[in-house]
Amino acid sequence: MGGLSCFAELRTITQKLRQSVCELDSITCRATFGDSRCGVDAEALFVSGAVTNVGSESDRIFTDTSLAAADNYYSPGMVEWLTGENAGLSHEVESNVSHVVTLTFHTRYDIAIGDTYRIRPDCAKRF
């Protein structure tokens, strides 16, 4: 019939015993930061900024002189790019010291002076 085929999958009653019926326990928090299980409003933590200087690794380190947070306040953290070649992408923050933000991983494109972003602290998954 048109080259289509169908295969029936037969499972026994023991397959139901292999399925999880309750949430597993963990040393670290299993919720996603900002979801209903977490209970934190992650959107309210975002702060907007603009790149004023680019570091030695132009796809990983940038400076924003208007960033007024304490050192490593955004470590761990999240940066969402609003303008520039990386617009729409998100990256994890490794550290922020004296207005210099270092990302954990390289961005797809080089960061440019004037690129706007928003940054927020993230969860370390510890209770």
Side-chain angles (χ1 to χ4, degrees):
M1 182 173 185
L4 299 177
S5 60
C6 177
F7 297 98
E9 183 178 357
L10 302 175
R11 295 184 178 200
T12 64
I13 193 111
T14 57
Q15 177 64 32
K16 288 191 175 234
L17 295 175
R18 293 186 183 127
Q19 293 178 347
S20 177
V21 292
C22 63
E23 188 171 329
L24 301 174
D25 197 14
S26 174
I27 294 173
T28 58
C29 178
R30 297 173 56 89
T32 302
F33 187 64
D35 70 0
S36 61
R37 287 177 22 192
C38 174
V40 174
D41 184 11
E43 284 295 315
L45 298 175
F46 275 109
V47 174
S48 295
V51 176
T52 56
N53 197 2
V54 179
S56 58
E57 293 181 61
S58 60
D59 59 350
R60 194 169 159 253
I61 301 171
F62 66 93
T63 303
D64 181 359
T65 53
S66 68
L67 197 61
D71 288 354
N72 289 319
Y73 175 73
Y74 296 112
S75 177
M78 185 66 64
V79 168
E80 289 182 1
W81 297 101
L82 304 175
T83 62
E85 291 186 279
N86 292 306
L89 300 176
S90 299
H91 293 90
E92 297 173 12
V93 175
E94 183 177 300
S95 67
N96 70 293
V97 179
S98 300
H99 308 288
V100 177
V101 178
T102 304
L103 302 177
T104 305
F105 303 107
H106 298 277
T107 58
R108 183 176 293 162
Y109 304 103
D110 285 345
I111 301 166
I113 295 173
D115 286 357
T116 59
Y117 66 93
R118 54 188 213 150
I119 188 170
R120 70 166 166 81
D122 209 354
C123 182
K125 299 288 187 185
R126 295 183 204 109
F127 292 106

